[in-house]
Amino acid sequence: MGAFLEILKELPLAILIYLEGIMNKKVTLLSLSVVALLSGGVAMAEDQTQTRDQTRDRVQDQTRDRVQDQTRDRVQDQTQDRTQTKERTRQTTGRELMTPEERQQQRAKMRRSETRKEREKVRAEHHEEMKERAKEQGKTIPANPPAGGMGGGMGGGMGGGMGGGQR
């Protein structure tokens, strides 16, 4: 290093100024290169963050859409089930064609029937009457009465209670 300094001492002042300028330009270029690299890295990091955010948003949108579709399908299924149940209930009896007094009389007839066979006969006769009434009103009910009746009455259902069972 000492030899280099000795050479520099002997060089004219103009050359030293020229070399200093070259060195300053190299340092400046080097500094600019470092700044460019650093800003490029920052830009790349920002791009990665933006890409990650866009991906997260897309996944959230897809999940939200899937949940909405499933909810809509579930609501439609429930609505359809309710509608079908209402229609089935409406079709299975002539109940809405009867007055409250007629319903009471029909229940009394069923209670007075002593055997299952008698109850089936009363039910079949009543169903024929209701089919005629429905036809007169422009409505329809199923061709056959519901099997075993609509339940809820004093019949020999499951678990007939104390001394229950068939008569």
Side-chain angles (χ1 to χ4, degrees):
M1 181 84 168
F4 180 70
L5 291 175
E6 290 299 321
I7 295 173
L8 287 178
K9 285 182 188 176
E10 294 186 15
L11 289 176
L13 186 59
I15 293 176
L16 287 176
I17 292 174
Y18 174 74
L19 288 175
E20 184 182 5
I22 291 175
M23 293 297 285
N24 283 340
K25 286 180 185 177
K26 286 185 178 182
V27 169
T28 303
L29 285 174
L30 180 61
S31 298
L32 288 174
S33 297
V34 169
V35 168
L37 283 173
L38 290 176
S39 63
V42 169
M44 190 178 349
E46 287 176 357
D47 286 347
Q48 288 174 344
T49 301
Q50 185 178 8
T51 301
R52 186 184 65 236
D53 291 348
Q54 289 172 344
T55 302
R56 184 192 64 233
D57 291 347
R58 187 172 43 251
V59 168
Q60 286 175 344
D61 289 346
Q62 289 170 346
T63 302
R64 185 189 64 241
D65 291 347
R66 189 176 333 109
V67 168
Q68 286 175 343
D69 289 346
Q70 289 171 347
T71 302
R72 185 183 60 243
D73 291 346
R74 191 173 24 254
V75 168
Q76 286 175 346
D77 289 347
Q78 289 171 348
T79 302
Q80 186 177 9
D81 289 348
R82 272 191 235 113
T83 302
Q84 288 174 348
T85 300
K86 285 179 183 177
E87 289 173 359
R88 205 170 28 250
T89 302
R90 197 172 318 129
Q91 290 180 348
T92 54
T93 69
R95 180 179 169 89
E96 66 269 5
L97 303 174
M98 300 169 64
T99 65
E101 294 81 24
E102 289 173 320
R103 286 194 293 273
Q104 189 174 359
Q105 290 170 359
Q106 178 64 18
R107 282 192 297 269
K109 275 187 194 178
M110 291 297 284
R111 287 186 188 118
R112 284 193 302 268
S113 301
E114 293 187 15
T115 65
R116 181 178 292 235
K117 195 170 195 169
E118 286 177 8
R119 283 190 294 276
E120 288 174 5
K121 181 179 178 194
V122 169
R123 189 179 301 113
E125 289 172 356
H126 173 70
H127 189 72
E128 289 304 315
E129 291 174 22
M130 292 301 102
K131 280 195 330 190
E132 278 299 316
R133 190 176 293 181
K135 186 177 179 182
E136 291 169 5
Q137 294 180 14
K139 299 178 180 178
T140 60
I141 60 174
N144 297 314
M150 291 307 295
M154 293 176 51
M158 290 184 61
M162 291 179 52
Q166 285 190 330
R167 292 184 180 179

